[in-house]
Amino acid sequence: TNYVGNVVALSPDGREVRSSTFTEPGSGLEVKRALYVSKTLNFASGSEILQNPTDKEITADVEIFGNLGSNSRTTAAVDQGNFLITDDVINGVSGHLPALLHYHSQVSNPNTAKHFLNGNQLSWRYPKLTVPAKSQIRLIYFIAQAEDVESAKEMATLVFNNPTALYEGLGPVAL
């Protein structure tokens, strides 16, 4: 089932957007989304909360997808499995648009995603996520705009090292 959600809250400083809760009709799984733009670092973070209000575990395939905001010249400049750096390439040369880091799976996290890039459409798929009864799973991902591929690699290293600053705005109150 596609989930878009309606914007239900925008923080006073405009850095955080929260969506309405969507309930998947077949299973009862509830999905909420929040996006936050960091005050201190050059990235945005997203959080998908999968809440299971039922008395039985729910297993679902989850896909997060979107348009890169670019065009068909978007290519994967760096592909490390848990993150992808995209860039626009024209005649073999990096274009004038910034490189983008998409980081969806922390190393050693049991909820890993696989990505698929088709033109400017990027999809992250988390197969067979199991949400225990009366529990939730939070998927957190990071998107960074960088001047070039090397700068995007530096941001990937920062995300990999997992500093506390990455979770600015994603506390329990965020959703």
Side-chain angles (χ1 to χ4, degrees):
T1 303
N2 284 337
Y3 162 67
V4 177
N6 297 311
V7 173
V8 295
L10 177 65
S11 65
D13 64 0
R15 294 187 172 279
E16 181 184 0
V17 176
R18 285 182 265 154
S19 70
S20 59
T21 299
F22 169 79
T23 302
E24 205 286 316
S27 67
L29 190 65
E30 297 174 351
V31 181
K32 291 188 275 186
R33 172 178 293 152
L35 297 171
Y36 182 79
V37 178
S38 173
K39 290 180 186 178
T40 58
L41 298 171
N42 188 27
F43 74 89
S45 54
S47 177
E48 309 282 329
I49 296 217
L50 309 174
Q51 177 80 36
N52 179 358
T54 73
D55 293 325
K56 295 182 181 178
E57 71 180 27
I58 297 174
T59 300
D61 293 327
V62 175
E63 180 177 25
I64 301 169
F65 62 91
N67 183 303
L68 293 174
S70 190
N71 59 40
S72 60
R73 295 184 181 137
T74 301
T75 62
V78 177
D79 184 346
Q80 294 294 315
N82 57 323
F83 72 85
L84 178 71
I85 297 173
T86 59
D87 196 14
D88 283 347
V89 176
I90 302 168
N91 297 325
V93 178
S94 180
H96 66 282
L97 298 174
L100 297 175
L101 167 67
H102 308 270
Y103 204 117
H104 265 255
S105 297
Q106 291 288 10
V107 176
S108 301
N109 186 320
N111 300 320
T112 58
K114 294 185 189 293
H115 60 267
F116 302 89
L117 180 62
N118 183 10
N120 66 344
Q121 297 294 312
L122 178 61
S123 171
W124 289 88
R125 297 179 190 155
Y126 294 82
K128 308 287 183 230
L129 284 181
T130 299
V131 184
K134 307 282 187 199
S135 188
Q136 71 181 19
I137 290 177
R138 181 183 284 201
L139 303 174
I140 298 174
Y141 49 93
F142 304 95
I143 305 102
Q145 180 174 316
E147 217 174 287
D148 53 35
V149 172
E150 287 307 311
S151 299
K153 286 180 186 176
E154 290 173 14
M155 182 56 91
T157 300
L158 174 72
V159 173
F160 175 79
N161 289 325
N162 207 18
T164 305
L166 288 177
Y167 302 98
E168 169 190 1
L170 288 176
V173 178
L175 294 176

